[in-house]
Amino acid sequence: MGGKGMPSRLPQLRLDELLEELQARIDDVRGTRDRVHGLLEAVLSVGRELDLTQVLRRIVEAASALSDARYAALGVIGPDGHTLSQFLTVGLSDGEIAAIGPYPSGKGLLGQLIRHPEPLRLADLSEHPASYGCPAHHPGMRTFLGVPVRVREEVFGNLYLTDKRNGQEFDADDEALISALAVAAGVAIDNARLYEEARRQQRWLRASGEITRSLLSGAPRQEVLALIAERAREITGAELADLSVPVAGDRLRVELAVGGDSAGRLGLTVPMDGTLSGAAFAAGSPVTTADLAGDERYAAGPRRSDGLSRFTGLGPAVAVPLSTAAGRVQGVLLLARTAGRLPFGSEEIGALPGFADQAALALELAERRRDAEQLALFEDRDRIGRDLHDLAIQRLFATGMTLQSAARLIEQPAASERVVRAVQDLDETIKIIRSTIFGLRARDGEERGLRARAARAVAEARTTLGFAPRLSMEGLLDTDVPPAVADQVMAVLAEALSNSARHARATRVEVTLHATGGEVVLRVTDDGIGLPAQQGHRSGLRNLQERAQQLGGTFTLAAPAGGGTSLQWSAPLTRL
């Protein structure tokens, strides 16, 4: 019976094995179906987004979920084609990321995929010849799967996956799934970039229309330039926007600063050589850098003698020349992003020159408008001067002659003395009118009187101060103040305005210049932080003191009750 029972069990055992094998195949099919279903969900999830940053984040998350990887990252290759400009991670906490330090730039095993953009699967990443190991505080990683992501046949970046949660190695199915995801990711990235470019173009057009309306409406030059800089900063996502214009001595001065430490940059003068803005001015075309604060090619701009930098924390930057239709460069627009942000792409840079040229147009229109206004002003001054000379002075002179003749006929001494004083007042009035005529007829390029020179210096101080100082003048500044004294007054005025701009942090500056009572008095008052406790910058104050002493005058520096600083400098008019 035992011999007869054995053969009857063999078919049963064979059937159990077949059933187990069938169940295993069903599980494999079900697992494959689940993974394919996960892939489809991942593709839909990635393709659903239009914001590029969100698309990249979804790609990393989907890759981690599909492959069951503990850690996942997407490295975006920079414009140089050799380094990573952006690195997004999944699986690391913010604390771990901070402890590890800066994101990788694309060396070692990560750079292997940049140099050879093909799928790479490793059982132990440390055994690969290109592996350099992990930095301090980096979690240990063993298994590895890397897949390139292409956008229109161009490698956009690479997906990096490490350590499956079940402890197994990445297999061919994982590689196939992630490769399929990479294809879908390339399409999604391309769509997001096209959408972003369309939105950017729309914003450029809207901003151009806004600026054109400002130009045609005759808005002030500074207002139009501020609008251009602000819109360029907003559209490009820049941290700051500076507009610089050339000044004497092959240098550029920041005439307008938007964003960041704008007060610290306004009025800053930098050399053409060794600065990003200077390179763009010389080349007449946009110039870029991936690290504004650390680029050794432009070491003269971001650094100062004290070792500190006005561009600390900034990375990608672009400088765009402001060119007129005739090809003349009138200035430079500098845009800079914070460190770690993406560099300025070719699409962004391509739109900037046309937009920047509107700033050049604003400068040119302002210059033409200023010339027209100056011409009209000069013509009006000539007319006023002729009328004053031909009508007012002649009548005053005739009146004085009549009074002088009448004084001889007056017998009472008191009355005669009054008439003589009236004649003297008329003579003084004629001097004042002649001084006014001289000031009215002054021209650019000709030697100006003290009145015009002081007005010009105060007007030019608006650029460095950020606002227009108030100016009050009285007396015969052009006729009674000798040229040597006038030169000293202008030197003192320039030093006082410079101190207010650099040290006072003032929001209001008042300048008064009087030539009365036999002396010329200059007073400059601001509402800034007041006199420093240690009386810094002694050399400049000592120079002002010496200038006054050389002329027999006085110099005082005081702190008004309401705060700020009051500088007064005077010199007699009778010693020279």
Side-chain angles (χ1 to χ4, degrees), residues 12-342:
Q12 182 67 34
L13 292 173
R14 181 61 177 169
L15 180 59
D16 290 341
E17 291 175 0
L18 290 174
L19 288 174
E20 289 177 0
E21 183 178 353
L22 179 60
Q23 183 63 44
R25 290 181 179 272
I26 291 174
D27 292 340
D28 289 342
V29 171
R30 186 175 297 158
T32 303
R33 182 198 65 186
D34 292 341
R35 301 192 76 180
V36 170
H37 182 68
L39 174 61
L40 292 175
E41 286 186 345
V43 169
L44 291 174
S45 174
V46 169
R48 191 179 299 119
E49 294 289 343
L50 288 175
D51 180 75
L52 183 58
T53 303
Q54 292 299 323
V55 168
L56 299 181
R57 174 60 59 183
R58 286 290 181 89
I59 291 171
V60 182
E61 293 172 349
S64 174
L66 278 176
S67 61
D68 199 28
R70 188 181 303 277
Y71 306 106
L74 172 61
V76 179
I77 300 176
D80 59 3
H82 305 293
T83 58
L84 298 176
S85 62
Q86 194 174 7
F87 201 76
L88 294 88
T89 62
V90 168
L92 294 174
S93 65
D94 293 339
E96 289 175 318
I97 294 174
I100 294 171
Y103 283 117
S105 60
K107 298 179 180 180
L109 190 58
L110 303 186
Q112 177 72 16
L113 264 76
I114 298 176
R115 295 185 295 272
H116 305 284
E118 301 172 354
L120 178 63
R121 185 157 41 95
L122 302 172
D124 188 349
L125 57 86
S126 63
E127 295 181 357
H128 193 278
S131 178
Y132 289 170
C134 297
H137 307 292
H138 197 287
M141 297 179 180
R142 190 177 65 85
T143 58
F144 176 85
L145 173 61
V147 175
V149 177
R150 288 180 169 84
V151 178
R152 296 188 180 185
E153 303 304 321
E154 179 183 351
V155 179
F156 174 82
N158 294 299
L159 278 169
Y160 306 108
L161 307 168
T162 60
D163 290 359
K164 297 193 68 163
R165 289 187 174 85
N166 58 13
Q168 297 180 0
E169 300 178 9
F170 293 100
D171 55 23
D173 290 341
D174 294 317
E175 182 179 324
L177 282 172
I178 301 303
S179 297
L181 176 64
V183 173
V187 175
I189 292 170
D190 192 29
N191 289 338
R193 290 166 71 178
L194 290 173
Y195 177 72
E196 187 175 288
E197 177 63 20
R199 289 187 61 191
R200 186 184 301 115
Q201 289 293 340
Q202 185 180 28
R203 296 180 69 185
W204 283 124
L205 290 173
R206 192 159 51 238
S208 296
E210 185 179 2
I211 293 164
T212 300
R213 287 192 297 272
S214 296
L215 288 171
L216 295 178
S217 66
R221 169 178 180 268
Q222 204 73 5
E223 181 180 320
V224 177
L225 294 178
L227 180 62
I228 291 171
E230 185 61 43
R231 292 296 177 268
R233 185 176 77 97
E234 291 175 356
I235 295 173
T236 59
E239 174 67 17
L240 62 84
D242 287 355
L243 197 150
S244 304
V245 295
V247 293
D250 295 330
R251 298 180 72 84
L252 289 170
R253 184 184 67 227
V254 180
E255 182 174 337
L256 184 72
V258 178
D261 180 22
S262 58
R265 301 192 313 276
L266 186 64
L268 179 68
T269 303
V270 297
M272 294 277 193
D273 187 24
T275 60
L276 189 70
S277 297
F281 187 92
S285 58
V287 179
T288 63
T289 177
D291 184 12
L292 180 62
D295 198 322
E296 295 299 330
R297 296 174 298 170
Y298 310 112
R303 296 164 182 79
R304 300 182 299 182
S305 59
D306 57 7
L308 299 178
S309 171
R310 294 188 185 275
F311 300 102
T312 300
L314 296 178
V318 58
V320 186
L322 315 179
S323 303
T324 63
R328 184 166 63 97
V329 180
Q330 290 195 322
V332 179
L333 176 64
L334 172 70
L335 299 168
R337 290 172 175 158
T338 53
R341 296 278 305 281
L342 285 173

